[in-house]
Amino acid sequence: MKLTISLDILEEAFYYVSPVKPVSTVPLIYATFSVEKGQVAYTTNNEMKFARKVERAFKSAFHKIVQENRAYREILDQDKILSPQEHLALQNKLLDSLIMAIQEYPELTLIRVELTGSWPVFQTEAGHLDLTE
């Protein structure tokens, strides 16, 4: 079976999104895992999620990912202007840290990672978001 989780590093939160991946206006990462029957539990709405032990492992990995990428999270949150090369380098670092953190836990079998939503790659001062308007 496959289970997909949406990771929101801006909110420092994750959500189960299997089987439907919603469209987002914020930068999200979809991480899809291969899971065995004993690794899943179901909510009262019959939605699949990690079993408690596996979810604890995932939460530990997610916490590590958020901590290692705190600087990029702040850049995204404050809408700072970076060159395309800087954004892509920081996104690459984020993805590498995500993969490495998850691979530390043998009960987590990561099979796919996707960037979705509004990830900045190129922005000028004219494209800067003014949240006071």
Side-chain angles (χ1 to χ4, degrees):
M1 293 186 286
K2 295 178 184 173
L3 178 63
T4 301
I5 296 179
S6 167
L7 290 77
D8 185 341
I9 62 167
L10 287 175
E11 295 295 325
E12 297 184 22
F14 66 90
Y15 310 95
Y16 294 98
V17 294
S18 289
V20 180
K21 299 175 194 170
V23 177
S24 174
T25 58
V26 297
L28 296 176
I29 302 167
Y30 287 149
T32 302
F33 297 87
S34 175
V35 292
E36 301 293 325
K37 216 173 204 176
Q39 292 180 302
V40 296
Y42 291 88
T43 66
T44 55
N45 294 332
N46 204 31
E47 294 171 348
M48 192 167 52
K49 66 178 210 148
F50 279 137
R52 191 175 310 222
K53 179 181 176 189
V54 180
E55 188 173 81
R56 276 195 299 268
F58 178 77
K59 283 180 179 179
S60 296
F62 182 65
H63 180 72
K64 183 174 183 180
I65 295 161
V66 168
Q67 293 303 315
E68 288 179 0
N69 293 281
R70 187 156 304 283
Y72 190 44
R73 179 193 172 283
E74 290 172 8
I75 288 169
L76 290 173
D77 192 41
Q78 296 171 8
D79 198 32
K80 289 187 179 175
I81 296 175
L82 297 178
S83 72
Q85 295 78 12
E86 290 170 310
H87 269 298
L88 293 173
L90 290 168
Q91 290 166 6
N92 187 48
K93 179 184 175 283
L94 171 64
L95 293 174
D96 285 346
S97 73
L98 181 144
I99 293 166
M100 297 298 290
I102 290 173
Q103 287 178 341
E104 290 179 18
Y105 298 90
E107 60 267 53
L108 299 173
T109 307
L110 184 65
I111 59 173
R112 185 180 177 98
V113 175
E114 304 168 72
L115 293 180
T116 188
S118 181
W119 287 92
V121 176
F122 175 78
Q123 177 178 308
T124 65
E125 190 64 42
H128 187 72
L129 294 176
D130 185 1
L131 301 177
T132 60
E133 290 180 349

